[in-house]
Amino acid sequence: MFQIAVLISGSGSNLQALIDNQTKFGYRIAVVLSNVADAYGLVRAQQAGIATCVVNHKDYDGREAFERAMIQALDAYQPQLVVLAGFMRILTPTFITHYAGKMLNIHPSLLPKLKGLHTHARAIEDKESEHGASVHFVTAELDGGPIIAQGRVPVQPDDTADALAKLVLTVEHQLYPAVVAGIVKGMISAPPDVRIDDILAPIDLPLLLQKVA
Ligand code: GRF
């Protein structure tokens, strides 16, 4: 069975979607790692019988030491893919290089638009007609890296950031497990050198769902 590790810092609703689709898509979450001891995602993992571990960045002297501790904890489970799901620490090349081509992130915008935080409010401010979520391979550039797939939602004139966030999350919950399924099935793979920020033509969610079904 294809083994994945999921990294979280908070509520873990994407983690829940990944948990719920393990059997359907033929992968197994070997471990959930959080840098926050009381992240609700840890409860979700425990309820599903998945191993958890906490590596708190505050316990380490600097990012490198923190990342080395995470690598040690994760590699004990030999993950074939590392999945960032609301993991709220910036990663350095120490960690990124170790999992080059084997690490995914989900970002709540149609990348390369709206990198960074507060994407839903910014989509409304910018009067975007369309918004959504993207899954990409992780490179050293924040919210950069080859974009694999995207899910889109329309932005209504009277939308609030909260309403839009909820709607985008429903898309994320379909998108992330489907991308993992595409990797498990060998339909999606990292470009030979993921440090080069060559954008793959992102697959739209409806087509991706068809392909992995
Ligand atoms: C999601 O919006 C994801 O796109 C972003 O962080 C949020 C995590 O939410 N990277 P959850 O913890 O999965 O509910």
Side-chain angles (χ1 to χ4, degrees):
M1 186 75 94
F2 192 97
Q3 307 286 322
I4 73 172
V6 183
L7 271 58
I8 59 162
S9 299
S11 131
S13 71
N14 277 287
L15 166 65
Q16 189 66 56
L18 289 162
I19 290 172
D20 295 343
N21 283 284
Q22 290 180 101
T23 311
K24 179 175 174 194
F25 287 141
Y27 59 85
R28 176 176 170 269
I29 303 175
V31 61
V32 172
L33 182 150
S34 173
N35 66 311
V36 176
D38 63 356
Y40 183 65
L42 290 171
V43 176
R44 296 181 192 270
Q46 282 150 10
Q47 281 171 352
I50 297 167
T52 59
C53 73
V54 175
V55 181
N56 188 337
H57 55 281
K58 292 180 187 153
D59 294 342
Y60 296 88
D61 194 12
R63 284 188 198 274
E64 296 258 336
F66 166 57
E67 291 182 359
R68 274 197 295 272
M70 286 201 296
I71 289 171
Q72 205 177 11
L74 292 172
D75 282 357
Y77 294 89
Q78 300 190 305
Q80 291 160 273
L81 188 69
V82 173
V83 177
L84 306 180
F87 182 72
M88 297 303 284
R89 302 299 297 171
I90 289 175
L91 295 165
T92 77
T94 300
F95 195 83
I96 292 168
T97 311
H98 189 78
Y99 298 111
K102 296 200 310 184
M103 182 155 52
L104 303 179
N105 183 43
I106 190 161
H107 181 75
S109 81
L110 295 174
L111 289 170
K113 281 186 189 170
L114 302 174
K115 295 180 178 183
L117 297 174
H118 312 301
T119 56
H120 309 298
R122 285 160 58 208
I124 292 169
E125 264 167 42
D126 294 355
K127 300 199 178 356
E128 295 285 356
S129 59
E130 213 182 27
H131 184 46
S134 307
V135 174
H136 62 96
F137 285 110
V138 176
T139 63
E141 192 204 333
L142 186 67
D143 299 328
I147 304 165
I148 301 165
Q150 295 182 319
R152 296 163 190 278
V153 302
V155 182
Q156 310 295 344
D158 58 349
D159 258 337
T160 62
D162 278 356
L164 203 48
K166 279 202 184 104
L167 184 61
V168 171
L169 270 179
T170 63
V171 167
E172 292 185 34
H173 298 160
Q174 298 177 68
L175 185 67
Y176 223 177
V179 169
V180 174
I183 290 173
V184 171
K185 290 172 193 280
M187 291 163 35
I188 297 166
S189 56
D193 186 349
V194 292
R195 286 164 299 173
I196 297 170
D197 203 7
D198 53 345
I199 309 282
L200 305 173
I203 310 168
D204 257 329
L205 178 59
L207 180 61
L208 177 64
L209 288 173
Q210 264 180 39
K211 281 181 183 283
V212 298

